[in-house]
Amino acid sequence: MIVCVCHRVSDKTIAQCARSGMAFDDIQLELGVATQCGQCECSARALVAECSPAHAVAHLHLHAPEQASLASARAA
Ligand code: FES
């Protein structure tokens, strides 16, 4: 999906840059995101925050009974 229409920058491109460790300002400078009309800035910033390596990721710790039920569900 195109996030920045003015510069034809997609969400995949922004996410890829963010995952590689680029900050919003770096992405803005490199790709021109949010440098023309500015309509994409909120979406682009949210995407960068979501995909940044520093973004906390939830970890699920399953207890043995739950793992067993998941294993049986997968086998079915
Ligand atoms: S849509 Fe990104 S600057 Fe216009």
Side-chain angles (χ1 to χ4, degrees):
M1 174 182 81
I2 297 295
V3 172
C4 179
V5 176
C6 295
H7 295 280
R8 290 197 48 80
V9 181
S10 71
D11 56 344
K12 286 182 182 177
T13 303
I14 295 170
Q16 190 175 28
C17 289
R19 284 191 195 103
S20 75
M22 291 173 74
F24 178 79
D25 293 349
D26 300 328
I27 294 170
Q28 191 175 33
L29 203 65
E30 183 76 18
L31 304 174
V33 171
T35 58
Q36 200 162 329
C37 75
Q39 291 293 308
C40 61
E41 185 170 349
C42 283
S43 301
R45 281 189 184 277
L47 195 54
V48 170
E50 187 180 310
C51 298
S52 164
H55 183 75
V57 176
H59 292 280
L60 300 177
H61 296 279
L62 301 178
H63 298 287
E66 293 167 339
Q67 289 176 333
S69 66
L70 282 175
S72 64
R74 285 190 194 127

